[in-house]
């Protein structure tokens, strides 16, 4: 496959997933941006999710990340508390509303993916999942992973 064809396929997939939309999801009366949904997911799935740890996992600079956290705190979806073992570190956790919103987003995304996968047979589904895992693994090993292309 030529590079421009490959890029076109990723562009189409990005649009289909709605990655360019202003908000990715609505849940619990909140319009949640894509980055906010990623933050909620990471907080929900990490043990003792510190501000720095979540920002690092998402590859987000700490200033931008802090603004997003403040926004989620104002929405009463996230709590930020000092780590009792190291008062310089802040631990993020979901509020009850935050857990509801995160669960609702998970359900929406899973329903969407299940509907998409319903158009494939079992072999095709397994092939796509295996290919996504291979691609993620290769991206992890790449020296340019998670950074914009240099122009």
């Amino acid at each position: 496959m030529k590079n421009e064809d490959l890029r076109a396929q990723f562009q189409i997939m990005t649009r289909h997933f709605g990655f360019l939309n202003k908000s990715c999801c609505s849940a619990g009366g909140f319009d949640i941006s894509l980055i906010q949904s990623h933050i909620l997911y990471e907080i929900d799935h990490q043990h003792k999710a510190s501000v720095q740890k979540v920002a690092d996992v998402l590859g987000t600079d700490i200033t931008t990340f802090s603004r997003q956290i403040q926004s989620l705190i104002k929405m009463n979806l996230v709590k930020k508390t000092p780590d009792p073992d190291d008062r310089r570190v802040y631990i993020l956790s979901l509020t009850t509303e935050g857990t509801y919103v995160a669960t609702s987003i998970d359900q929406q995304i899973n329903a969407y993916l299940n509907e998409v996968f319903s158009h494939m047979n079992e072999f095709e589904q397994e092939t796509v999942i295996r290919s996504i895992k291979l691609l993620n693994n290769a991206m992890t090993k790449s020296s340019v992973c998670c950074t914009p292309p240099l122009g």
Side-chain angles (χ1 to χ4, degrees), residues 88-99:
R88 298 169 297 168
V89 175
Y90 284 91
I91 302 299
L92 300 171
S93 59
L94 299 180
T95 63
T96 302
E97 277 185 317
T99 300

Side-chain angles (χ1 to χ4, degrees), residues 113-131:
L113 292 172
N114 287 335
E115 197 282 328
V116 169
F117 274 81
S118 74
H119 299 284
M120 298 179 217
N121 64 41
E122 190 174 332
F123 174 77
E124 292 168 332
Q125 292 174 17
E126 289 171 4
T127 301
V128 169
I129 291 167
R130 191 170 46 257
S131 298

Side-chain angles (χ1 to χ4, degrees), residues 45-46 59 81 87:
H45 288 84
Q46 287 187 24
T81 55
R87 306 294 273 170

